[in-house]
Amino acid sequence: MERPWLKNYPNGVPANINPEQYPTLIAMFEETFKKYKQLPAFTCMGKTLSFEQLDKLSRDFGAYLHSRGLEPGDKVALMMPNLLQYPIALFGALRAGLVVVNTNPLYTPREMRHQFTDSGAKAIIIAENFAANLETIIAETQIKTVIVTSIGEMLGFLKGTVVNFVVRNIKKMVPKYNLTNTVGFNEALKQGKKFKIKDFSSGMDDVISLQYTGGTTGVAKGAMLTNRNLVANMLQIRAVMMPFLKERGDMFVTTSYVSHFRLYGKLPGANGDRFSHHSDYQCQRPAFCDEGIPGYKITLMTGVNTLFNALLNHKDFANCNFDSLKITVGGGMAVQRAVAEKWHKVTGCPLTEGYGMTESSPVASVNPIDGSGKLSTIGMPVPNTDMRIVDDNGNPLPIGEVGEIQIKGPQVMKGYYNRPEETSNSVRDGWLCTGDIGLMDEDGYFKIVDRKKDMILVSGFNVYPNEVEDCLAAHPKILEVAAVGVEDEHSGEVVKVFVVKKDKSLTADEVKAYAKENLTGYKRPKYVEFKDELPKTNVGKILRRALRE
């Protein structure tokens, strides 16, 4: 096949990486732990862990998990916001040979139940803020080991006490719960010192993470990501970025939940880089403008278009010192040309757009980091990756023709957990069928011209109408419901539902209240419109396109 992108890679970016350079993801990071042990690895809320501390604490945590009877291959759920506890738990679980099931901390009990029962998770590490939700559904799962942590638990006695008091008593962010036989995170670390991680074998093709996604259908399922997938994608990202970074000591900042949203591709690139946790909210506060960028000398920042736009419209942002900022990467949703141009003008740093899916671990393509790429495209395939455009029958199309984007490379998932039919529909002869419609130009740049059918993109979050509809259809006063995306200046799109009443007393407020109980915030309808009937095909399928129009 033609690979016109190869001739357009920036100097220093190789065409290939060796996906077998490390036998496991942990082997890759153990090298980092030793090589850069005195350097800071993660910073959160002013507290920093060095690579040496992360090495020791994660070993203790992995040993504790084994002491609780968990065996290699067992599933462990991680459900917490951006905290120092997360990398400790992650590497501890991986060192114990467990399969990590990242769980969105925004999930409702209904969403938690599905993920935990589908994955068969036997243990969970969860922030106390969400323990009340776990209490309502844990009896329906296989979870026997529950490790609970607080927001301030790793911040030291004084600061941690103050943070926990504010979170629990001032902001009232910890609903009461009554889970039995739980253990605190620090207690688990303390107990883990008494044990050692048991020996076990692990290979390149062993699954080490179930990352849940709607894929192209909206039915939440676990993408099986292997050592090979994640090692390859980290090496691919390193190859793309390293010509523009130092060998060590760069500062990365993430602005989404690292614990749920494609953590692995954004972890420090095994180069002794430091990783700082922030949320979208934190990055929009004046403190981030006053202290975040200049205080930490941030080198690389990732986010979504809505975040960059919000920062640019913050009154203090333009006054920040951006001398240290070398790389800014946008993903999750299209980066608007106006935002990219303004970002470059204000910060002096190009805003580069990338593309990927959970099923591709996640990164598949990216524009050149130096800003020499093409705005409004998703860039070129990363090293060791092929992308192509195919027609409805799977036949490759020539340059400039519009069709479905497919991806092939060592980062493509092993398949969907316990869903062989869905796997065969999504991965064909090694090619991942993305469901995105696009084209490739003569220089090897790809452009998306349409998205997965009917999917709604809310601030970079995928919302699948089927899930919203299935949820709301259970309301006793709703006869029929259809969900679509409508434009929104703040989040790109928001959810709107069209409802046919079963009971005439039904109100929009009732619909929204029901959604609030059962759906994560970004999935909830912002608008509710009642109709006498919904447009349908001659076989009865609801025409969402007609509703959008």
Side-chain angles (χ1 to χ4, degrees):
M1 62 175 290
E2 289 187 85
R3 297 179 175 86
W5 56 83
L6 294 179
K7 67 178 183 292
N8 292 312
Y9 274 173
N11 290 335
V13 177
N16 296 288
I17 51 94
N18 177 13
E20 299 187 3
Q21 183 174 341
Y22 300 92
T24 64
L25 185 67
I26 280 298
M28 185 179 192
F29 277 92
E30 285 182 340
E31 178 183 272
T32 302
F33 295 153
K34 294 174 183 176
K35 189 173 182 180
Y36 304 109
K37 61 182 182 179
Q38 298 304 323
L39 292 178
F42 286 80
T43 295
C44 184
M45 299 177 70
K47 177 72 172 181
T48 297
L49 280 181
S50 69
F51 281 99
E52 185 174 38
Q53 290 172 311
L54 180 57
D55 183 13
K56 181 181 183 306
L57 292 171
S58 63
R59 283 185 186 276
D60 291 344
F61 196 77
Y64 175 78
L65 294 174
H66 273 179
S67 77
R68 291 295 301 266
L70 292 164
E71 299 288 342
D74 286 343
K75 317 300 189 305
V76 56
L78 306 185
M79 186 174 182
M80 65 191 87
N82 291 348
L83 301 172
L84 292 177
Q85 293 90 309
Y86 181 79
I88 295 170
L90 169 69
F91 291 122
L94 293 178
R95 282 180 143 166
L98 305 178
V99 178
V100 173
V101 182
N102 285 309
T103 303
N104 190 335
L106 300 176
Y107 272 1
T108 64
R110 182 188 68 85
E111 293 162 317
M112 292 164 66
R113 181 193 301 112
H114 169 76
Q115 187 163 314
F116 298 156
T117 56
D118 187 78
S119 65
K122 294 184 178 181
I124 186 170
I125 299 90
I126 186 170
E128 62 180 2
N129 309 57
F130 318 112
N133 284 344
L134 176 64
E135 181 184 350
T136 66
I137 56 94
I138 191 170
E140 302 172 60
T141 74
Q142 298 181 44
I143 294 173
K144 302 300 180 186
T145 299
V146 179
I147 300 171
V148 179
T149 190
S150 64
I151 301 298
E153 194 162 5
M154 295 296 296
L155 301 180
F157 176 75
L158 183 58
K159 187 171 186 176
T161 300
V162 172
V163 167
N164 283 338
F165 178 82
V166 171
V167 169
R168 294 166 178 168
N169 302 295
I170 306 301
K171 295 190 175 182
K172 308 290 186 182
M173 294 173 64
V174 184
K176 290 183 179 180
Y177 64 93
N178 183 29
L179 286 167
T180 58
N181 300 319
T182 65
V183 65
F185 193 83
N186 277 330
E187 180 62 24
L189 290 173
K190 180 181 177 181
Q191 294 295 325
K193 293 177 182 178
K194 304 175 184 178
F195 304 97
K196 288 187 177 181
I197 294 175
K198 302 173 185 176
D199 291 334
F200 64 93
S201 60
S202 183
M204 290 291 291
D205 295 316
D206 287 346
V207 175
I208 61 173
S209 175
L210 291 183
Q211 197 75 9
Y212 273 76
T213 174
T216 57
T217 65
V219 178
K221 47 195 174 289
M224 297 187 290
L225 303 182
T226 65
N227 278 304
R228 184 191 306 275
N229 293 152
L230 296 170
V231 167
N233 206 225
M234 292 195 67
L235 291 175
Q236 289 165 328
I237 295 167
R238 177 200 286 182
V240 168
M241 291 186 175
M242 280 312 295
F244 310 99
L245 298 173
K246 297 179 291 186
E247 180 187 356
R248 64 175 71 186
D250 281 299
M251 176 69 165
F252 293 9
V253 60
T254 183
T255 54
S256 57
Y257 289 117
V258 295
S259 59
H260 183 71
F261 296 102
R262 301 167 177 176
L263 163 88
Y264 306 99
K266 295 178 181 176
L267 276 170
N271 300 304
D273 303 313
R274 182 177 178 184
F275 200 61
S276 179
H277 294 189
H278 294 270
S279 66
D280 283 0
Y281 170 70
Q282 287 174 311
C283 286
Q284 291 177 49
R285 291 188 307 172
F288 182 75
C289 297
D290 295 338
E291 304 167 9
I293 292 177
Y296 289 117
K297 297 188 182 302
I298 292 167
T299 310
L300 183 151
M301 181 176 178
T302 64
V304 295
N305 184 82
T306 48
L307 170 70
F308 298 127
N309 190 41
L311 285 172
L312 289 169
N313 285 288
H314 191 287
K315 61 183 179 64
D316 298 319
F317 186 70
N319 297 323
C320 291
N321 184 335
F322 301 101
D323 290 346
S324 62
L325 190 62
K326 299 176 183 177
I327 297 174
T328 314
V329 180
M333 62 187 298
V335 174
Q336 296 170 345
R337 176 182 290 270
V339 172
E341 290 175 343
K342 187 175 180 181
W343 182 271
H344 195 180
K345 181 179 179 180
V346 171
T347 68
C349 177
L351 174 49
T352 298
E353 184 171 358
Y355 168 77
M357 304 174 66
T358 300
E359 292 88 340
S360 60
S361 302
V363 181
S365 69
V366 67
N367 263 285
I369 299 299
D370 60 4
S372 63
K374 299 183 179 182
L375 291 178
S376 301
T377 75
I378 57 173
M380 301 176 287
V382 294
N384 267 69
T385 302
D386 283 327
M387 289 173 58
R388 68 181 185 181
I389 306 297
V390 299
D391 63 19
D392 291 341
N393 297 315
N395 301 311
L397 293 172
I399 289 172
E401 292 288 317
V402 173
E404 182 181 15
I405 298 173
Q406 292 188 337
I407 303 166
K408 192 173 192 178
Q411 73 271 47
V412 171
M413 67 170 182
K414 191 171 186 175
Y416 293 120
Y417 183 61
N418 283 341
R419 296 178 187 271
E421 185 175 346
E422 298 248 19
T423 299
S424 63
N425 289 335
S426 296
V427 183
R428 302 170 188 168
D429 297 322
W431 288 96
L432 175 64
C433 305
T434 68
D436 287 321
I437 307 302
L439 58 84
M440 179 181 71
D441 71 14
E442 65 279 1
D443 295 318
Y445 285 82
F446 285 76
K447 180 179 178 65
I448 293 177
V449 298
D450 198 1
R451 284 202 321 274
K452 297 173 190 138
K453 187 177 181 182
D454 293 332
M455 189 185 76
I456 306 165
L457 201 59
V458 181
S459 292
F461 295 77
N462 292 352
V463 179
Y464 296 91
N466 284 344
E467 181 182 8
V468 177
E469 293 165 0
D470 286 347
C471 172
L472 296 183
H475 193 291
K477 294 184 180 181
I478 291 179
L479 178 64
E480 288 185 327
V481 58
V484 302
V486 294
E487 290 186 8
D488 182 82
E489 62 176 326
H490 300 295
S491 57
E493 284 186 318
V494 293
V495 178
K496 177 177 181 177
V497 293
F498 294 86
V499 174
V500 177
K501 298 180 182 181
K502 182 185 295 184
D503 184 322
K504 291 183 179 180
S505 69
L506 179 66
T507 66
D509 286 343
E510 284 183 86
V511 175
K512 291 181 179 180
Y514 187 81
K516 186 175 182 179
E517 291 178 9
N518 294 283
L519 293 169
T520 299
Y522 61 86
K523 299 178 185 177
R524 298 169 193 160
K526 185 173 182 179
Y527 304 106
V528 178
E529 182 176 331
F530 294 109
K531 297 183 76 69
D532 293 332
E533 61 180 11
L534 300 179
K536 298 182 179 71
T537 66
N538 55 6
V539 294
K541 184 177 180 180
I542 294 174
L543 291 168
R544 295 194 187 107
R545 184 180 296 275
L547 290 170
R548 285 196 298 269
E549 294 172 352

